[in-house]
Amino acid sequence: MSATSRYSFLGPAGTFTEAALLQILDGDETAERVPTTSVPSALALVDDGEVDAAMVPIENSVEGGVTATLDAVSVAHQLHIVAEALVPITFVVATREPMPLSRIATITTHSHAWAQVRRWADATVPEAEFIPAASTAAGARGLLGEEPAADAAICSPLVAEQLGLHVAAAGVEDVEGAVTRFVLVRRPGPVPEPTGADKTTIMIPLPEDRAGALLELLEHFATRGVNLCRIESRPTGNGLGEYFFSIDLEGHIREERVADALAGVHRISPKIRFLGSYPRADGKPQQVTADVGDAAFSAARTWIDALRRG
Ligand SMILES: O=C(O)C(=O)Cc1ccccc1
């Protein structure tokens, strides 16, 4: 990693977000982890220069985009993504003392976690009341102390173990194999070097009153062999009917086909925003055919330059 040394994340210790951060830090003992009580406060620390980067959840394989984060990173904060991490999500039901599931009247956890165990909860503890917590780890800690916030918490197996909680049920997630994608964001600066297995994230306001605008945008990517791996439309917040597209594509801004596609889109939507090029967490290398490789672009430019010189 770079010289970055302070990282904010949704805390306290033991959240899935911290697991994502530890993955990226890859054993770097010098890095300082700064827990916050919310995603907006983790991002604010980056804005203020208190930390070098923040780790935030961005996409869930079951529910799709974590829209609040997407909007915050791109609209409110103007940050760039420099890395991503994929964290497999599994939940346990933790209680302070062993107790039958039928006696659980209140359950606390983060809203994302609750959304991912609803079917289990409806089937097993249908009467239990959900008490929102700032994070899964904060919810688990809420069971301790003089006045426990709830009878049970939904959290990671690791947090339950670290806090010495009793595991009343394990593997309660509704969809087995769910993964959450997290991104590390920082103030705009040098773009990480291309690795051959990169992603680029952009936002494109859809040009208004232009028939076929979306098709036109997509054609810029298709004709340069640029594969899109996520596309979501989000309201701009400026009024009904105004949207931008949030897109992840395969490739790096330093690759000619990506730069050329983005330049093409810029001509029809000049407010396009670049949110970063960074290595893919799954390391899946790009499949680029020769006609859209850097060498083909360079040969084409040499040819044009020669023609212009006459
Ligand atoms: O609360 C946490 O542990 C988080 O990091 C947020 C979250 C919660 C559930 C799934 C993915 C991320």
Side-chain angles (χ1 to χ4, degrees):
M1 218 34 259
S2 62
T4 301
S5 60
R6 281 168 64 82
Y7 300 85
S8 57
F9 68 99
L10 172 66
T15 58
F16 290 100
T17 313
E18 188 183 40
L21 181 55
L22 290 169
Q23 218 184 84
I24 295 283
L25 296 181
D26 195 22
D28 177 358
E29 304 268 318
T30 64
E32 194 185 330
R33 303 197 296 281
V34 181
T36 66
T37 53
S38 69
V39 169
S41 54
L43 295 172
L45 290 184
V46 186
D47 278 348
D48 300 346
E50 295 278 326
V51 297
D52 300 284
M55 182 61 84
V56 290
I58 199 120
E59 190 184 353
N60 184 281
S61 63
V62 181
E63 290 176 281
V66 179
T67 49
T69 314
L70 263 175
D71 294 353
V73 167
S74 50
V75 181
H77 291 272
Q78 318 245 326
L79 301 172
H80 279 182
I81 302 172
V82 290
E84 68 169 3
L86 300 173
V87 177
I89 304 288
T90 181
F91 299 113
V92 299
V93 179
T95 55
R96 193 164 160 160
E97 304 294 340
M99 68 154 87
L101 290 176
S102 57
R103 281 214 7 243
I104 296 175
T106 48
I107 301 191
T108 185
T109 194
H110 188 271
S111 56
H112 292 176
W114 186 242
Q116 292 177 51
V117 301
R118 284 306 298 274
R119 265 186 277 145
W120 173 86
D122 286 344
T124 320
V125 285
E127 304 295 329
E129 183 195 345
F130 165 54
I131 302 186
S135 70
T136 53
R141 281 176 190 225
L143 301 193
L144 305 170
E146 297 267 294
E147 283 178 41
D151 297 327
I154 307 278
C155 61
S156 76
L158 193 63
V159 161
E161 191 193 317
Q162 284 167 350
L163 297 181
L165 294 168
H166 171 74
V167 173
V172 295
E173 59 276 8
D174 293 332
V175 179
E176 212 186 303
V179 170
T180 295
R181 178 175 167 238
F182 295 82
V183 290
L184 188 69
V185 295
R186 58 189 303 166
R187 294 177 295 284
V191 178
E193 291 293 316
T195 64
D198 304 288
K199 269 189 197 170
T200 293
T201 300
I202 50 171
M203 280 184 36
I204 310 176
L206 191 61
E208 279 173 70
D209 305 326
R210 186 169 169 129
L214 177 58
L215 181 61
E216 225 179 313
L217 287 177
L218 296 179
E219 274 172 343
H220 279 287
F221 299 109
T223 54
R224 278 107 172 165
V226 175
N227 191 35
L228 306 186
C229 35
R230 181 181 61 85
I231 174 162
E232 283 175 86
S233 76
R234 300 284 309 137
T236 58
N238 295 336
L240 272 184
E242 272 194 47
Y243 286 90
F244 65 80
F245 284 90
S246 170
I247 293 178
D248 290 343
L249 54 89
E250 287 183 7
H252 194 284
I253 184 81
R254 295 244 196 102
E255 289 176 282
E256 294 298 338
R257 68 202 158 81
V258 174
D260 206 52
L262 296 190
V265 172
H266 189 274
R267 284 189 274 113
I268 52 175
S269 186
K271 294 212 172 109
I272 178 175
R273 293 238 354 257
F274 171 76
L275 294 183
S277 289
Y278 48 90
R280 297 176 66 117
D282 62 10
K284 197 174 130 216
Q286 265 119 240
Q287 304 293 333
V288 183
T289 54
D291 59 313
V292 286
D294 279 3
F297 274 93
S298 160
R301 192 157 311 127
T302 307
W303 175 64
I304 292 286
D305 287 348
L307 290 177
R308 283 176 171 173
R309 275 196 305 272

